[in-house]
């Protein structure tokens, strides 16, 4: 009976932790949560210790330290005191793990979401990236690197606005 109660408690705590993380946003794209980004791999509860496994969007991504700190802060504020954050580097994160909801939010924010799947070995030049502002497909690549290494800079040939494209990887 005691064991069952413990399991139920852990289950409730785990669901609560996942829910809390829906309110932690990517510091680089403040409209998309870390759940939408697909970087939270697992939450494990061992006695009183909460272990959160995160996979960085690319190795050495500077946003990861901020994200880890924010997870720790939110958990502390909600009464979880023993927190361990583990970076899980393998398998590597891919844009395929981003939720549909996350892609919609990216677009609404003015960043073109990744097109296709990470295993499509298309070159950026061949990609049809839709302008998030006017939805034109008449766009061209300006630079492989936009405001951060995960993004490329595009320009719309119709509305003439430059925009970031979240690259597939
Ligand atoms: Zn446009």
């Amino acid at each position: 009976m005691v064991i069952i109660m413990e399991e139920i408690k852990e289950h409730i705590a785990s669901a609560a932790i996942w829910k809390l993380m829906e309110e932690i946003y990517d510091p680089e794209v403040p409209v998309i949560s870390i759940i939408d980004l697909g970087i939270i791999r697992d939450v494990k509860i061992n006695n009183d210790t909460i272990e959160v496994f995160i996979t960085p969007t690319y190795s050495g991504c500077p946003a990861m330290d901020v994200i880890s700190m924010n997870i720790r802060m939110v958990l502390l504020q909600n009464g979880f005191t023993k927190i361990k954050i583990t970076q899980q580097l393998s398998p590597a994160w891919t844009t395929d793990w981003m939720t549909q909801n996350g892609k919609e939010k990216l677009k609404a924010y003015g960043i073109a979401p990744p097109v296709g799947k990470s295993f499509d070995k298309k070159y950026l030049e061949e990609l049809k990236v839709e302008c998030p502002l006017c939805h034109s497909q008449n766009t061209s690549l300006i630079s492989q690197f936009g405001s951060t290494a995960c993004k490329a800079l595009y320009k719309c040939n119709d509305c003439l606005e430059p925009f970031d494209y979240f690259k597939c990887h």
Side-chain angles (χ1 to χ4, degrees), residues 5-15 17 45-47:
M5 281 309 290
E6 279 306 307
E7 275 181 11
I8 292 170
K9 261 170 66 190
E10 285 184 6
H11 183 77
I12 293 169
S14 166
I17 292 161
I45 303 170
N46 245 324
N47 298 319

Side-chain angles (χ1 to χ4, degrees), residues 142-158:
I142 297 174
S143 164
Q144 295 273 4
F145 297 98
S147 58
T148 66
C150 335
K151 301 183 200 93
L153 187 63
Y154 271 74
K155 189 186 162 190
C156 175
N157 301 318
D158 286 332

Side-chain angles (χ1 to χ4, degrees), residues 32-92:
I32 175 167
S33 78
I34 57 175
I35 296 295
D36 283 332
L37 201 54
I39 60 168
I40 303 299
R41 303 318 308 153
D42 206 359
V43 172
K44 282 189 182 141
I45 303 170
N46 245 324
N47 298 319
D48 286 334
T49 306
I50 313 291
E51 188 170 14
V52 179
F53 294 82
I54 61 174
T55 297
T57 52
Y58 62 96
S59 90
C61 182
M64 282 305 135
D65 291 342
V66 179
I67 291 171
S68 299
M69 204 179 68
N70 288 344
I71 294 173
R72 206 173 278 279
M73 256 169 46
V74 165
L75 290 178
L76 279 171
Q77 283 164 357
N78 285 277
F80 299 101
T81 49
K82 290 180 188 162
I83 304 152
K84 194 175 166 198
I85 293 168
T86 305
Q87 286 211 10
Q88 190 175 307
L89 298 175
S90 175

Side-chain angles (χ1 to χ4, degrees), residues 131 133-136 156 158-159:
C131 168
L133 305 164
C134 73
H135 311 294
S136 164
C156 175
D158 286 332
C159 74

Side-chain angles (χ1 to χ4, degrees), residues 107-137:
K107 202 165 158 182
Y109 186 64
I111 297 173
V115 177
K117 295 276 181 187
S118 59
F119 51 77
D120 290 340
K121 296 285 175 216
K122 277 185 193 160
Y123 291 106
L124 274 175
E125 288 81 357
E126 295 172 20
L127 269 180
K128 284 270 171 266
V129 175
E130 189 185 283
C131 168
L133 305 164
C134 73
H135 311 294
S136 164
Q137 297 234 327

